[in-house]
């Protein structure tokens, strides 16, 4: 009798413990995702990487975030397009993401120095958030060499004329 009670208690503990551990790790994951969302908003990634975010004054729904933009940035570096971060992040695991974004020096106007300075746990939180979004959208247009006029809409850096 005692033995079977002990067995029952042990068995039910076995059933409860993994569930509790899972709940704990999934709330940790959710906290990580929420932190990533916050960092994306605060560090301006949406301003360039989410088409329509700036004109919407930050009200673009999250379902449309981080899929890149066809609005080019034109200057002495050529023309660059903010990439689709959902596709980009889906092509690598978290450790690769950390090593790429903390060392890469993409062309202007990408503020790569902010990612180089960011705490590693925050770089990981950004990855967690991006990977929580469905892998959607198309690749941004390929960057153009200096001197090539873009066929898309673009911002242009105009140097002052020599007097
Ligand atoms: C002012 C506009 C702008 C902002 C703000 C911006 N990006 Fe970018 N980003 C770009 C552009 C443009 C490119 C493409 C550069 C190129 O083609 O060389 C790019 C490229 C990238 C890349 C590709 C790096 C590689 O190795 O190819 C990553 C990753 C990235 N951005 C992440 C971010 C994150 C995360 C944030 C927020 C912390 C952010 N960007 C903020 C414009 C921006």
């Amino acid at each position: 009798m005692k033995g079977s009670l002990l067995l029952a208690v042990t068995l039910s503990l076995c059933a409860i413990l993994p569930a509790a551990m899972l709940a704990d790790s999934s709330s940790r994951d959710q906290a990580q995702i929420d932190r990533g969302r916050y960092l994306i908003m605060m560090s301006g990634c949406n301003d360039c990487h989410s088409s329509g975010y700036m004109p919407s004054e930050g009200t673009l729904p999250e379902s449309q975030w981080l899929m890149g933009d066809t609005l080019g940035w034109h200057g002495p570096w050529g023309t660059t397009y903010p990439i689709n971060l959902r596709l980009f992040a889906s092509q690598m695991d978290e450790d690769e993401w950390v090593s790429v974004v903390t060392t890469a020096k993409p062309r202007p106007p990408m503020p790569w120095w902010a990612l180089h300075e960011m705490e590693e746990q925050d770089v990981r939180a950004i990855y967690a958030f991006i990977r929580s979004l469905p892998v959607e959208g198309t690749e941004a247009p390929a960057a153009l060499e200096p001197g090539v006029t873009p066929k898309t809409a673009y911002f242009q850096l105009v140097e002052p004329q020599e007097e």
Side-chain angles (χ1 to χ4, degrees):
M1 187 61 201
K2 240 187 186 165
S4 64
L5 185 62
L6 189 64
L7 185 66
V9 169
T10 315
L11 282 178
S12 53
L13 266 183
C14 288
I16 292 164
L17 273 181
M21 281 159 68
L22 269 179
D24 185 47
S25 80
S26 76
S27 62
R28 234 192 349 259
D29 291 351
Q30 190 54 50
Q32 178 88 334
I33 290 169
D34 291 343
R35 172 92 183 139
R37 179 188 298 105
Y38 174 78
L39 290 165
I40 287 278
M41 283 195 283
M42 295 306 122
S43 45
C45 319
N46 278 322
D47 296 345
C48 295
H49 288 275
S50 302
S51 180
Y53 191 84
M54 256 200 259
S56 82
E57 299 182 335
T59 62
L60 187 78
E62 191 177 301
S63 61
Q64 292 170 48
W65 288 11
L66 305 179
M67 292 191 281
D69 206 347
T70 56
L71 184 57
W73 293 81
H74 185 72
W77 60 88
T79 309
T80 48
Y81 294 90
I83 63 163
N84 181 329
L85 288 174
R86 299 192 193 190
L87 297 182
F88 187 78
S90 75
Q91 289 153 13
M92 57 190 77
D93 65 24
E94 192 177 303
D95 288 336
E96 285 176 84
W97 166 265
V98 172
S99 77
V100 170
V101 307
T102 58
T103 57
K105 295 184 175 180
R107 289 157 287 194
M110 169 62 204
W112 48 262
W113 44 88
L115 289 171
H116 291 207
E117 291 299 323
M118 203 177 266
E119 302 277 352
E120 185 177 318
Q121 68 206 38
D122 289 342
V123 178
R124 290 184 183 278
I126 285 184
Y127 179 84
F129 173 68
I130 298 174
R131 298 294 281 125
S132 77
L133 300 170
V135 181
E136 274 176 0
T138 50
E139 294 283 356
L144 304 173
E145 292 300 314
V148 179
T149 305
K151 294 199 171 67
T152 62
Y154 59 95
F155 287 112
Q156 180 163 17
L157 174 66
V158 181
E159 303 281 4
Q161 300 288 316
E162 296 277 330
E163 292 282 314

